[in-house]
Amino acid sequence: MRDQLRAGIAIYNAGFYHAAHDAWEPTWLDLETGTDDEQLLHGLIQTSAAVHHAHSRNWEGAVGLAERAHGYLRELPPTYRTIELQPVRSFLTSLAADPELVERRSPVRIEHDGTVPSLATLDLDSTLIAAPVLAEAMGYETAPIEQAREYAESDLEAGADDSRFIALLFDFVREDDARGIVYQRLTSHVERRETRESDVEGLF
């Protein structure tokens, strides 16, 4: 769960509020309703939705979501799963009272493991989660990203420490200014790998 948490938090902190829930939702759906972990993820998902609606100037929706998010997070300890929840709860209270505050200052940034995770600080496991989420949020075709992730995981299992796919996925997540070029290179490498694998299969 840690990798999903950190990936979603970094995506949220980068300003992709609507997309953040895609990193958390698959894990949340597998949790028993009412458990602390389920309340945490439900609260974070509602928080990201509240901020998204506020930025879209849907004030009523933002208020309702902020109130519900606070309700899910209210009973958890101030620090849970190494996430600092008190600043999040305080922000949600302020957002529910005045949803237009997002036009005057940035939403709360979420702290995890004593830092404010960014896309540039994600480790490999969290990067593999974040890459397809960001691709979809930015309008890229996700299939090459998903395939690159499979190849990266395969390279890891094979003990490769110089996988092009790992390097390109890191770059795709981290390099804002070069993301389009990285995506083109990644897609090209995926196509070449698929062609090689098809050629080998055709021999047997």
Side-chain angles (χ1 to χ4, degrees):
M1 180 168 165
R2 179 188 181 280
D3 296 328
Q4 288 79 9
L5 276 174
R6 197 162 181 85
I9 290 170
I11 291 167
Y12 169 95
N13 285 340
F16 298 99
Y17 304 113
H18 184 262
H21 83 277
D22 286 327
W24 298 321
E25 193 168 90
T27 301
W28 168 62
L29 291 172
D30 287 337
L31 295 171
E32 183 179 346
T33 301
T35 62
D36 286 351
D37 284 347
E38 189 272 339
Q39 295 287 98
L40 172 68
L41 286 177
H42 207 160
L44 290 176
I45 289 168
Q46 296 276 342
T47 298
S48 65
V51 175
H52 172 71
H53 280 279
H55 276 291
S56 301
R57 302 176 69 85
N58 176 6
W59 310 127
E60 183 177 349
V63 169
L65 286 162
E67 290 173 345
R68 288 197 292 275
H70 191 280
Y72 287 119
L73 300 176
R74 182 174 52 231
E75 301 302 323
L76 295 175
T79 302
Y80 182 72
R81 290 278 186 176
T82 68
I83 297 174
E84 297 300 323
L85 291 179
Q86 194 53 46
V88 178
R89 291 191 288 237
S90 295
F91 168 74
L92 290 169
T93 298
S94 298
L95 185 65
D98 177 16
E100 295 183 40
L101 72 85
V102 299
E103 297 191 335
R104 301 191 300 275
R105 61 182 174 91
S106 298
V108 65
R109 301 185 78 197
I110 301 176
E111 296 181 43
H112 181 246
D113 280 352
T115 67
V116 177
S118 67
L119 298 175
T121 63
L122 291 180
D123 63 14
L124 176 58
D125 290 332
S126 295
T127 294
L128 295 181
I129 294 166
V133 173
L134 289 172
E136 183 170 359
M138 296 178 187
Y140 292 99
E141 173 60 49
T142 59
I145 300 290
E146 295 282 5
Q147 188 61 66
R149 184 168 68 172
E150 288 186 23
Y151 288 144
E153 291 170 344
S154 176
D155 289 347
L156 281 174
E157 290 176 5
D161 57 3
D162 59 347
S163 170
R164 287 182 182 271
F165 296 102
I166 292 174
L168 286 167
L169 286 167
F170 268 124
D171 288 345
F172 179 78
V173 168
R174 295 179 174 190
E175 301 295 334
D176 289 340
D177 295 336
R179 190 169 282 120
I181 294 172
V182 172
Y183 179 81
Q184 292 174 3
R185 290 175 180 165
L186 184 148
T187 300
S188 177
H189 282 292
V190 166
E191 291 172 349
R192 286 204 290 271
R193 176 97 164 235
E194 287 175 333
T195 298
R196 285 201 308 272
E197 290 181 348
S198 178
D199 288 346
V200 170
E201 289 174 2
L203 296 174
F204 299 96

